């Protein structure tokens, strides 16, 4: 969906279609915090779709920007960890009522200290730290040795804020959503051999540790005065391993009421990502994979100058929500690219079910060449990059 939105935005700008963005038509509001401090902001009238929240202008980024890149293992996990948390939030805060803002409560120093290990008294002394600084949420590291490992469970913490109008021109914080990224594989260095080893962490252990860490996070957040009377939703994300070409997924979330510091029931999140073609996709969704393989086979037999066709499928509640297909090409000119794109669009429209959201990006060594989007519309959207 990101590629489609980028192309559509480019088309709007090139076509001069800007009425929806005119400043005089945007709504001016006052954002008020817990100390009765107010700040003026603007709510844009234009909203791409109900899949996305409106955001305040000027945009206020979080103090923790950039940390996710260092703490998660792949671009796949970075994207899904953030976008998946927005999907979780929509279960609690509707996009037609609430506004989105990057997290403003948890700063960089706080999150980094939470990601540390817990230290023993001796370790605190060696590091020159005080007991009040001993707030790491990962377990104490035992004396390392061959075959021994104390996993780092918590990889990252992300926070999103949701605001709503309380008066005609006033908005305030109404909810906070926090995502905890948890490791499914522990990587450590064997002190005897110097080798990097790894230990798989079972989903049951990930879940158990995640629930415990989540409760401590809620307890600490409830001590912050700016969250007094604010409900907090917390979600658990299981990160994939370094070698995976697909991201992990959120698997549970819970909302803590405004007057509580205890997590009650957890709700399951049924989301999965699959690489097409793969054994995992064959086992889980053979019918969808067959359609993809038919498409892939016809593309590769019709045009010999191909590199390969791969897909990334996203499933929610067992149903495919989207399929992103990448086709790298080795062509000699624009005319050949246009011809290939036309053929690909016609073939995709014929083979893929109308209800399936499909994005096909055609690339070359020079970058993006074309974009094809199929969905509930009668005709595919096709864009040739100049």
């Amino acid at each position: 969906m990101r590629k489609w939105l980028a192309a559509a935005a480019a088309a709007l700008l090139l076509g001069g279609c800007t009425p929806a963005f005119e400043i005089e038509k945007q709504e001016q509001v006052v954002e008020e915090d817990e100390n009765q401090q107010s700040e003026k902001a603007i709510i844009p009238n234009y909203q791409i779709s109900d899949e996305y929240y409106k955001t305040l202008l000027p945009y206020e980024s979080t103090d923790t920007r950039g940390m996710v890149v260092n703490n998660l293992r792949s671009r796949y996990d970075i994207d899904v960890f953030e976008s998946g948390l927005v999907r979780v939030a929509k279960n609690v805060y509707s996009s037609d009522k609430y506004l989105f803002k990057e997290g403003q409560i948890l700063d960089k120093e706080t999150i980094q200290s939470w990601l540390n290990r817990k230290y023993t008294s001796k370790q605190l002394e060696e590091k020159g730290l005080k007991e009040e600084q001993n707030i790491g949420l990962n377990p104490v590291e035992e004396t390392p040795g061959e075959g021994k490992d104390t996993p780092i469970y918590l990889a990252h913490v992300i926070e999103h804020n949701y605001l709503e109008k309380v008066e005609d021109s006033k908005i305030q914080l109404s909810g906070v959503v926090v995502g905890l990224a948890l490791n499914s594989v522990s990587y450590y260095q064997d002190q005897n051999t110097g080798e990097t080893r790894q230990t798989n962490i079972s989903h049951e252990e990930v879940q158990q540790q995640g629930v415990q860490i989540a409760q401590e996070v809620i307890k600490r957040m409830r001590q912050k005065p700016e969250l007094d009377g604010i409900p907090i939703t917390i979600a658990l994300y299981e990160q994939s391993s370094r070698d995976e070409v697909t991201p992990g997924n959120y698997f549970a979330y819970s909302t803590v009421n405004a007057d509580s510091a205890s997590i009650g029931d957890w709700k399951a999140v049924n989301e999965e990502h699959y690489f097409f073609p793969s054994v995992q996709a064959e086992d889980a969704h053979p019918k969808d994979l067959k359609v993809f393989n038919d498409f892939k086979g016809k593309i590769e037999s019709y045009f010999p100058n191909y590199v390969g066709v791969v897909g990334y499928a996203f499933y929610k509640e067992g149903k495919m929500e989207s399929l992103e297909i990448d086709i790298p090409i080795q062509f000699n000119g624009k005319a050949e690219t246009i011809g290939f794109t036309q053929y690909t669009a016609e073939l995709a429209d014929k083979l893929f079910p109308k209800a399936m959201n499909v994005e096909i990006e055609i690339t070359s060594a020079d970058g993006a060449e074309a974009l094809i989007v199929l969905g509930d519309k009668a005709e595919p959207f096709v864009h040739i990059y100049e």
Side-chain angles (χ1 to χ4, degrees), residues 89-90 147 195:
K90 288 175 65 179
E195 294 179 295

Side-chain angles (χ1 to χ4, degrees), residues 30-44:
V30 174
E31 182 182 354
E32 194 170 271
D33 62 21
E34 77 285 354
N35 297 318
Q36 305 302 312
Q37 299 293 318
S38 60
E39 187 174 314
K40 291 184 179 180
I42 293 174
I43 302 176

Side-chain angles (χ1 to χ4, degrees), residues 27-30 43 56 96-99 162-174:
E27 181 180 2
Q28 294 191 17
V29 293
V30 174
I43 302 176
L56 294 174
D96 60 349
K97 180 180 178 182
Y98 292 88
L99 305 166
Y162 291 89
L163 304 90
E164 68 174 331
K165 293 176 66 175
V166 291
E167 296 177 10
D168 287 343
S169 60
K170 186 182 292 185
I171 59 172
Q172 69 179 26
L173 179 66
S174 295

Side-chain angles (χ1 to χ4, degrees), residues 158-379:
I158 190 173
E159 172 207 349
H160 289 165
N161 296 165
Y162 291 89
L163 304 90
E164 68 174 331
K165 293 176 66 175
V166 291
E167 296 177 10
D168 287 343
S169 60
K170 186 182 292 185
I171 59 172
Q172 69 179 26
L173 179 66
S174 295
V176 170
V177 181
V178 175
L180 305 182
L182 304 162
N183 290 321
S184 61
V185 178
S186 175
Y187 298 91
Y188 66 101
Q189 188 175 46
D190 190 305
Q191 298 299 308
N192 294 328
T193 65
E195 294 179 295
T196 298
R197 298 178 178 272
Q198 68 180 63
T199 302
N200 292 329
I201 306 173
S202 69
H203 176 70
E204 290 72 23
E205 186 175 357
V206 171
Q207 184 174 13
Q208 179 186 12
Q209 294 292 330
V211 167
Q212 293 176 6
I213 293 171
Q215 180 57 68
E216 180 61 26
V217 168
I218 292 295
K219 177 183 175 182
R220 295 180 183 185
M221 294 187 73
R222 273 287 171 247
Q223 297 171 0
K224 296 182 177 295
E226 56 266 51
L227 292 179
D228 184 30
I230 304 296
I232 304 172
T233 298
I234 194 159
L236 305 180
Y237 179 89
E238 187 171 357
Q239 185 180 195
S240 62
S241 69
R242 290 175 181 173
D243 302 327
E244 291 291 333
V245 294
T246 54
N249 56 273
Y250 281 94
F251 61 89
Y253 74 95
S254 182
T255 297
V256 180
N257 294 333
D259 58 351
S260 174
S262 298
I263 298 176
D265 295 334
W266 287 89
K267 295 183 179 179
V269 178
N270 187 2
E271 295 184 352
E272 296 175 302
H273 296 83
Y274 289 93
F275 178 77
F276 281 13
S278 67
V279 174
Q280 293 81 359
E282 173 67 36
D283 291 340
H285 301 284
K287 292 182 180 179
D288 292 338
L289 181 61
K290 183 181 184 305
V291 175
F292 172 83
N293 284 336
D294 288 345
F295 171 78
K296 173 182 171 72
K298 291 182 184 299
I299 290 289
E300 294 175 351
S301 63
Y302 192 90
F303 280 88
N305 296 330
Y306 74 91
V307 175
V309 181
V310 297
Y312 301 88
F314 170 57
Y315 286 83
K316 189 173 182 179
E317 303 298 334
K319 179 183 178 183
M320 183 187 287
E321 289 281 310
S322 64
L323 174 62
E324 294 186 4
I325 299 175
D326 291 335
I327 307 179
I329 58 174
Q330 296 176 342
F331 287 165
N332 297 318
K334 182 62 68 174
E336 191 174 4
T337 299
I338 293 172
F340 177 77
T341 301
Q342 291 177 160
Y343 170 76
T344 301
E346 180 180 0
L347 180 64
D349 189 42
K350 178 181 178 181
L351 292 180
F352 290 111
K354 295 297 182 185
M356 187 180 291
N357 294 314
V358 181
E359 290 182 7
I360 303 170
E361 186 174 36
I362 300 171
T363 60
S364 70
D366 296 326
E369 297 288 349
L371 176 67
I372 302 167
V373 180
L374 295 89
D376 54 3
K377 295 184 178 180
E379 298 291 335

